[in-house]
Amino acid sequence: MTGRPGRTGKSGSQASAGDLLELVRSGRAVTRGALQQATGLSRATVGQRLDRLFRAGWLREGAGGPVGSPLGGRPSITLEFDDSHAVVLAADLDTRHARAAVLTLTGEILAEHAGTLVVEDGPEAVLGELGRWFADVLAKAGRRAAEVCGIGLAVPGPVDRESGRVVQPPIMPGWDGYDTRGRLSRAFTEHTGAPAVPVLVDNDANLMAYGEQRTGHPDCAAFVLVKVSTGIGAGVVVDGSIYRGVDGGAGDIGHIRVGAEALCRCGSYGCLAAVASGGAVARRLTEAGVPAASGSDVRDLLAAGHPEAAALAREAGRRVGDVLATVVTLLNPGVLMIAGDLAGTPFLTGVRELLYQRALPRSTARLDVVTSRLGERAALVGAGALVVEHLYAPRRVEERLAALGV
């Protein structure tokens, strides 16, 4: 039996068990009848392919749905993605702090740990310590290491998507070209005794944007998040997918030249990050006699209502808003989210002042400028989602089912 292709892009015998799982996970087809209609597969073939997913423990039957016929009859049994069969580990590295967590396959954080971890100590030491943190959060969550299906890592630098290696990161000395995936995989095994699992690495702003868009703005077709902490970076999600550029460099707005004389950590003069990041504000506060070493120190001063910190944060927001006027005009997003250490009222006020002054009215007419909903957990949620979308993509599902022998 053949029929009209569904949104899987495949019809008839071409629609795999992985395609059926994607339809169920997305909510586009959650009964056997709906799967037949979406794919054009016969009832028997749908049953055979669903059986593989049931045997793998990836699907379960839910409650009966409404009766589909006006003549009555038995309600359709709904199908659900079973998120209890595995968990995901995620970590988010900042310059001086990090967070690690264990999450369900649907993004719920079961346990987490936050602490000091200095990225300048280098990848060998930092990733080794993350392995220990992973063992701790698994124990805290009461989950076995054997249940982990993958690991996601957010880093404050550009990442080559294919290799997972950090590429020329301005604030991560010693990380350029390092085998981050391999070291974190080994650290996980060393501290848990479990076999190696897939490791995915991406830029922190990308993963923050991915986590925030999926959880709070799933219908936004063009979403931009700007993280302003020790550095400045942006994540862009278009039609539900992270936009990375040709080699992972998209969104690096902290190194747009703004005409200032300040020396940036990248070695150039006049970068936006050199004058408007949390690190830049911390430096100016220190020069004014208010000790601050990083963006997190500025955040604490802002929370305490420190007037000098508030004034400098607003000025930094104006600098960033000037650049974002171009970003908004180019991308025409529906949501512009400000996140990171400086994401408070003074900075946001400065952003809005220059953004609405400089951008075309048409570009801002339907734009929502907001702050983070997930806060410090955004990158963890995004990293977990990245792993799940990778492991349960149709093609990967077929490979994994074959490896399981089902």
Side-chain angles (χ1 to χ4, degrees):
M1 176 180 175
T2 60
R4 188 177 60 186
R7 288 187 65 186
T8 61
K10 298 180 180 179
S11 62
S13 61
Q14 291 180 314
S16 66
D19 292 316
L20 300 191
L21 183 63
E22 182 180 33
L23 286 167
V24 173
R25 288 184 59 235
S26 67
R28 300 200 302 268
V30 296
T31 65
R32 287 169 172 80
L35 289 170
Q36 287 178 244
Q37 186 176 16
T39 63
L41 293 174
S42 70
R43 179 178 179 180
T45 302
V46 167
Q48 290 167 358
R49 294 182 182 173
L50 289 179
D51 183 60
R52 297 178 68 200
L53 297 170
F54 280 117
R55 283 187 284 149
W58 298 352
L59 273 188
R60 64 187 172 205
E61 290 186 341
V67 176
S69 168
L71 301 177
R74 296 173 59 188
S76 301
I77 300 299
T78 60
L79 303 169
E80 300 174 351
F81 179 58
D82 189 344
D83 71 338
S84 66
H85 69 272
V87 294
V88 173
L89 289 170
D92 176 24
L93 289 180
D94 208 332
T95 52
R96 303 186 62 82
H97 299 85
R99 305 178 78 88
V102 54
L103 301 91
T104 67
L105 299 181
T106 48
E108 178 189 355
I109 294 179
L110 300 175
E112 64 183 308
H113 173 79
T116 299
L117 203 55
V118 181
V119 76
E120 290 185 353
D121 289 344
E124 185 72 23
V126 169
L127 298 173
E129 182 66 5
L130 279 182
R132 187 177 69 79
W133 288 14
F134 284 153
D136 291 345
V137 293
L138 283 168
K140 194 175 180 180
R143 304 302 292 257
R144 296 176 294 110
E147 296 178 76
V148 176
C149 64
I151 299 171
L153 174 65
V155 298
V159 176
D160 177 74
R161 184 182 184 187
E162 295 303 317
S163 67
R165 296 173 188 256
V166 182
V167 181
Q168 299 178 3
I171 58 175
M172 298 178 71
W175 290 74
D176 184 24
Y178 184 83
D179 182 15
T180 304
R181 285 179 181 170
R183 178 66 183 107
L184 189 54
S185 179
R186 291 193 301 274
F188 167 70
T189 298
E190 288 164 7
H191 288 278
T192 66
V197 296
V199 176
L200 299 183
V201 185
D202 210 329
N203 171 262
D204 56 356
N206 283 348
L207 293 179
M208 291 173 71
Y210 197 47
E212 295 276 9
Q213 188 272 337
R214 287 171 62 89
T215 58
H217 304 273
D219 297 325
C220 181
F223 179 95
V224 176
L225 177 144
V226 178
K227 178 187 179 184
V228 186
S229 291
T230 298
I232 300 176
V236 180
V237 179
V238 177
D239 291 335
S241 297
I242 298 171
Y243 179 75
R244 299 179 175 87
V246 295
D247 62 1
D252 202 3
I253 65 169
H255 300 284
I256 292 175
R257 305 293 175 83
V258 293
E261 296 299 321
L263 176 64
C264 183
R265 295 182 66 172
C266 73
S268 298
Y269 285 89
C271 293
L272 179 65
V275 295
S277 66
V281 173
R283 184 178 62 252
R284 291 188 62 184
L285 283 168
T286 301
E287 291 170 353
V290 182
S294 65
S296 60
D297 291 338
V298 177
R299 178 192 61 204
D300 294 341
L301 289 167
L302 290 170
H306 194 282
E308 184 71 11
L312 289 174
R314 182 167 178 170
E315 181 182 334
R318 288 172 58 85
R319 292 269 198 173
V320 173
D322 196 11
V323 170
L324 290 179
T326 300
V327 172
V328 165
T329 301
L330 177 66
L331 296 179
N332 189 211
V335 174
L336 171 62
M337 179 174 284
I338 307 299
D341 292 329
L342 267 59
T345 300
F347 185 86
L348 193 63
T349 299
V351 167
R352 284 178 166 146
E353 285 175 359
L354 263 288
L355 173 62
Y356 287 105
Q357 182 185 121
R358 300 290 172 83
L360 292 171
R362 187 186 183 285
S363 300
T364 57
R366 298 173 61 188
L367 175 69
D368 289 331
V369 182
V370 300
T371 53
S372 170
R373 292 188 180 188
L374 297 175
E376 295 180 333
R377 293 175 169 174
L380 295 176
V381 173
L386 188 73
V387 171
V388 172
E389 292 306 313
H390 170 74
L391 291 179
Y392 295 92
R395 183 172 179 178
R396 184 68 175 136
V397 163
E398 289 304 308
E399 295 171 356
R400 295 177 66 205
L401 289 174
L404 290 171
V406 300

